[in-house]
């Protein structure tokens, strides 16, 4: 039997990470934070440090910008919850490489269907603003939308967070 | 008695078209797909072809980028559901012409109130990102917001789609 | 005992101001409209005039682009509801000055916890589009997200408006 899969969506600074962290804490399991962020500039360093401070202690951390599937397989266990924060950064990292994006999505959802322990995935809603001028940004939000649909389809629970408040979509 | 009016809103690649298509299929009526898209470049061609492939068979299709009201009047019938996909592209097409936009909105809502058959209208939520720099984009999202309010007011049902999951707003 | 605090969020032209105005009218109290907008160009002048026309009569109005806290303290009373429209413009005005933004947020939430009369605060959701290119826009949406979380935490009721339709988040 596979572990429970939870998708937590929300806009920028909507409180989605905190909500996901609380879900992980309430599980009572040991907690692994799988960070997809890479600190390639100072703004990003500050964001990562802020997230770590907000998260508090009681977490193991592993950083993996691209190989999400393998990292999940290596660390998943029945008595451990993994929090992936966040899918949109993973997608952004993927898009700087040359992997076929949709293949990676299929591999991820297939892997999520086989892991022994629970996984909570955090992702940014990016598709509810004006159509971006820039081709790459349009491709990014199309990919993000498809990824969210695919994860939501296999997820046991899906939440949307606004102003720190949750709506259960599934 | 007029046909049932349903508005389906959602962000980019949120699954709103598929949700709307399923509503049309579940109606058991004959189905007309009213496409407002014009394939003026390769990216658009790909998007349109992808939508057609996703939609599958069992649909008649009519393409009308601008004259939405007349096309609805010509094709509406008690035993046929019309799916308009999507209002934001129609608005975008309108804005390249010189019709007064708010007048067109009034005509559309008036027409919707008189059609014999059901209509499902799909539209993109575009107003929940940062204020766009560009005047035209600001005008576009203001118009889109007003249009959604006007259609929602006369609609029998309104849905918001996120990651393929629906919330019923009305 | 402090007055009731209500936060009304929504995208551009979502009908959030009208929803908030109706809440104020339904309170049966005397009504003060606290406008944070400054008419620094013609587009803004038109938007402000349009809002005033939509609002109708029966309102006192005070304009204060920056000193929100003091203006609330000066005008709050048990028999008067204050409608603040909107927080995002206030934030935008703050960011052109040199006050420390997070300090201003703390002062505002502290003040809201002590006012005798009810306050309805309207704000724009701006965090659900693509990440903006521009550093200032990213800082703005981060601040806006944090502000919404902080107000939502102390609020008695929080609504999200889409196409003129409300969802109660709290």
């Amino acid at each position: 039997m596979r572990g429970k899969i939870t998708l937590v969506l929300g806009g920028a600074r909507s409180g989605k990470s905190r909500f996901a962290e609380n879900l992980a804490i309430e599980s009572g399991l040991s907690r692994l934070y799988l960070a997809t962020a890479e600190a390639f500039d100072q703004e990003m360093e500050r964001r990562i440090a802020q997230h770590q401070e907000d998260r508090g202690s009681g977490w193991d951390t592993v950083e993996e910008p691209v190989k999400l599937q393998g990292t999940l397989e290596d660390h998943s266990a029945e008595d451990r919850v993994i929090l992936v924060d966040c899918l949109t950064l993973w997608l952004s990292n993927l898009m700087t490489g040359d992997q076929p994006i949709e293949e990676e999505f299929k591999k991820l959802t297939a892997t999520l269907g086989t892991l022994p322990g629970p996984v909570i995935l955090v992702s940014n809603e990016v598709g509810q603003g004006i159509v971006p001028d820039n081709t790459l940004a349009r491709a990014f939000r199309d990919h993000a939308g498809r990824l969210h649909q695919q994860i939501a389809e296999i997820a046991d629970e899906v939440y949307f967070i606004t102003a720190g408040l949750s709506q259960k979509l599934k």
Side-chain angles (χ1 to χ4, degrees), chain A:
Chain A
M1 212 189 95
R2 73 160 171 80
K4 182 175 171 181
I5 298 168
T6 306
L7 176 62
V8 179
L9 292 170
R13 302 300 310 183
S14 60
K16 60 191 183 305
S17 293
R18 184 177 299 182
F19 179 84
E21 288 155 23
N22 285 338
L23 286 183
I25 291 167
E26 286 162 13
S27 75
L29 303 176
S30 80
R31 305 193 293 274
L32 180 71
Y33 185 84
L34 198 170
T36 58
E38 282 187 302
F40 47 80
D41 67 14
Q42 284 198 325
E43 184 181 336
M44 210 61 198
E45 271 176 27
R46 276 196 306 274
R47 280 172 188 256
I48 292 174
Q50 183 65 50
H51 265 286
Q52 286 180 337
E53 202 188 306
D54 291 349
R55 198 156 64 238
S57 62
W59 293 84
D60 291 320
T61 300
V62 55
E63 295 180 14
E64 175 47 57
V66 174
K67 293 169 188 158
L68 192 50
Q69 179 202 357
T71 310
L72 287 167
E73 285 169 345
D74 289 350
H75 292 88
S76 182
E78 277 183 43
D79 59 353
R80 174 189 289 149
V81 57
I82 303 181
L83 195 170
V84 178
D85 195 355
C86 64
L87 289 178
T88 23
L89 274 172
W90 172 66
L91 170 59
S92 180
N93 296 333
L94 267 188
M95 286 179 71
T96 63
D98 51 9
Q99 293 99 329
I101 306 289
E102 298 290 335
E103 279 305 301
E104 293 296 313
F105 290 179
K106 279 183 196 155
K107 284 193 218 163
L108 175 61
T109 50
T111 296
L112 287 169
T114 65
L115 299 174
V119 183
I120 302 168
L121 304 112
V122 175
S123 200
N124 272 66
E125 176 55 57
V126 296
Q128 298 179 3
I130 211 81
V131 181
D133 286 333
N134 149 347
T135 314
L136 191 65
R138 279 201 304 278
F140 178 80
R141 67 174 207 154
D142 281 354
H143 283 311
R146 280 190 209 102
L147 176 61
H148 295 165
Q149 285 190 55
Q150 290 171 34
I151 305 279
E153 195 171 355
I154 60 160
D156 301 288
E157 294 184 0
V158 179
Y159 295 92
F160 195 89
I161 314 300
T162 309
L165 303 168
S166 64
Q167 289 179 293
K168 191 169 182 178
L169 301 184
K170 180 179 180 178

